[in-house]
Amino acid sequence: MARVVQFTAPRQAEVVEFKPEALPPGHVRVRTAYSGISAGTELTAYRGTNPYLTRTWDPDARIFRDAEAGVAFPVVGWGYSETGSVIEVGEGVSGLAVSDEVWGIWGHRSEAVVPAEKLIGHQLPEGVSLSSAAFARVGAIAFNAILSARINLGELVAVFGQGVIGLLATRLATLSGARVVTVDAVESRRTESLRFGAIESFAPGTAAEAIRGLGGADTAIELSGVYAALHEAIRSVGVGGRVVASGFYQGEGNGLRLGEEFHHNRIELISSQIGGVPLELAGRWSVDRLQKTFLDLVGKGAVDVEPLISHRVPIEDAADAYTLLDTRPGDALQVLLEF
């Protein structure tokens, strides 16, 4: 039997067994090595605050409708950053072979049947381990925010939130030629951000005024998903500055006062979400290119993700991993489930 993580109810995770499915033509069977837990979007499903649990997303109209929930408990196999090895190849598959080490999205399950087209070209690049490749998706989220920020050489960029994605954004902004300052409530994460290239790091509350004291940020990237942080990001940029909102915000926008600096300083507010790349780049960039380019940077040593792995948790202890991230987020960065 294979195993999969499911959320049985809000804040209840468990590992259940399932019978492996047959392998149809054009598919491969992958045995999972690592699966990264998202401490942002995924925890909204674990906690029961994700909008898909209360509303229905209409993909054609691209609007949420107040109808029955689009997703209901138990939520099975959430997860979007997996690595593993191909153990079986279906009829008609070329470009993949048994024993190929690959990365992709198939959820927190010990094995999966995946269309071959989704994994062709997803073999691990040189210099990238199976554990490092589990950062492909979160790295792409950070990369997407950097592209949305349209950073120019020498600009001051403020990155709000220094969890895994925030730290990666700090590193990528530095590689893009920015002077980077960071903001986070956790002191250890502020310290870590200095190792990832930040020139200064501030605690929330007084950060905006401190950044304005440096002349004001040209661009701010908000990755915490906290409305108060988004408001402080808006306050931190100069007149006509740009704010990239890349966090997954929940509920109503308490603490966001758009009649103040946003209105008076004519701030440009941009949403960055991994469902697509910035519109002006869509002819040349794609989400797959984001992921591959990020892993190439890892393989070449430009981005070191291994120090971000704070916990490697055996799959049978998955419930403990979610409790940790939910109740003591300051004690963890990237948690990997080991299979």
Side-chain angles (χ1 to χ4, degrees), residues 167-183:
L167 287 166
L168 293 176
T170 293
R171 177 59 181 157
L172 293 174
T174 301
L175 291 176
S176 300
R179 295 179 298 125
V180 182
V181 295
T182 61
V183 181

Side-chain angles (χ1 to χ4, degrees), residues 10 32 60 95 119 125 140 157 216 326:
T32 308
D60 296 321
L119 294 181
V157 174
D326 183 35

Side-chain angles (χ1 to χ4, degrees), residues 16-331:
V16 298
E17 293 185 339
F18 69 96
K19 184 178 180 180
E21 59 186 295
L23 186 68
H27 289 64
V28 298
R29 191 182 310 277
V30 182
R31 177 173 294 146
T32 308
Y34 297 101
S35 185
I37 297 179
S38 158
T41 302
E42 187 172 346
L43 282 194
T44 69
Y46 172 74
R47 292 166 175 157
T49 63
N50 191 290
Y52 283 90
L53 292 166
T54 56
R55 295 176 177 83
T56 297
W57 171 248
D58 184 332
D60 296 321
R62 298 198 65 79
I63 191 172
F64 277 98
R65 301 191 186 280
D66 292 325
E68 63 182 37
V71 176
F73 289 106
V75 179
V76 181
W78 197 291
Y80 54 64
S81 204
E82 286 71 53
T83 66
S85 300
V86 175
I87 59 172
E88 188 179 1
V89 175
E91 182 182 349
V93 172
S94 60
L96 288 167
V98 171
S99 80
D100 278 356
E101 293 182 330
V102 294
W103 56 272
I105 300 174
W106 55 84
H108 300 314
R109 60 188 81 239
S110 59
E111 70 170 61
V113 171
V114 184
E117 62 184 15
K118 292 186 178 296
L119 294 181
I120 292 174
H122 283 208
Q123 289 92 339
L124 267 59
E126 184 178 352
V128 178
S129 66
L130 280 166
S131 55
S132 292
F135 286 80
R137 191 69 170 182
V138 290
I141 294 169
F143 203 151
N144 209 28
I146 296 298
L147 293 184
S148 295
R150 305 197 297 271
I151 296 169
N152 296 307
L153 183 66
E155 287 188 329
L156 182 65
V157 174
V159 182
F160 286 74
Q162 290 297 285
V164 172
I165 298 175
L167 287 166
L168 293 176
T170 293
R171 177 59 181 157
L172 293 174
T174 301
L175 291 176
S176 300
R179 295 179 298 125
V180 182
V181 295
T182 61
V183 181
D184 199 280
V186 180
E187 183 178 1
S188 61
R189 294 184 178 183
R190 296 198 298 272
T191 300
E192 190 71 13
S193 76
L194 300 177
R195 289 194 283 268
F196 272 68
I199 57 174
E200 289 192 63
S201 190
F202 306 101
T206 59
E209 293 192 15
I211 295 169
R212 294 303 291 270
L214 298 174
D218 296 285
T219 298
I221 301 172
E222 206 299 296
L223 285 154
S224 72
V226 176
Y227 287 110
L230 180 59
H231 183 68
E232 196 163 11
I234 290 170
R235 295 187 70 220
S236 74
V237 299
V239 174
R242 182 179 302 115
V243 175
V244 177
S246 192
F248 189 18
Y249 306 93
Q250 303 295 294
E252 297 181 357
N254 295 329
L256 187 60
R257 304 187 297 277
L258 297 181
E260 298 180 4
E261 289 84 2
F262 175 77
H263 180 74
H264 288 77
N265 289 333
R266 302 180 300 282
I267 304 302
E268 180 185 12
L269 182 61
I270 299 171
S271 173
S272 175
Q273 196 268 348
I274 196 58
V277 299
L279 185 60
E280 65 273 17
L281 300 177
R284 294 179 288 112
W285 279 85
S286 65
V287 173
D288 202 47
R289 183 180 176 186
L290 285 174
Q291 296 173 139
K292 290 179 178 178
T293 303
F294 177 78
L295 288 182
D296 283 342
L297 290 171
V298 172
K300 293 172 181 176
V303 180
D304 186 5
V305 297
E306 289 288 335
L308 297 178
I309 302 173
S310 61
H311 296 77
R312 298 170 186 253
V313 179
I315 181 59
E316 55 266 23
D317 297 329
D320 295 335
Y322 287 98
T323 299
L324 168 67
L325 288 169
D326 183 35
T327 62
R328 307 194 312 278
D331 293 345

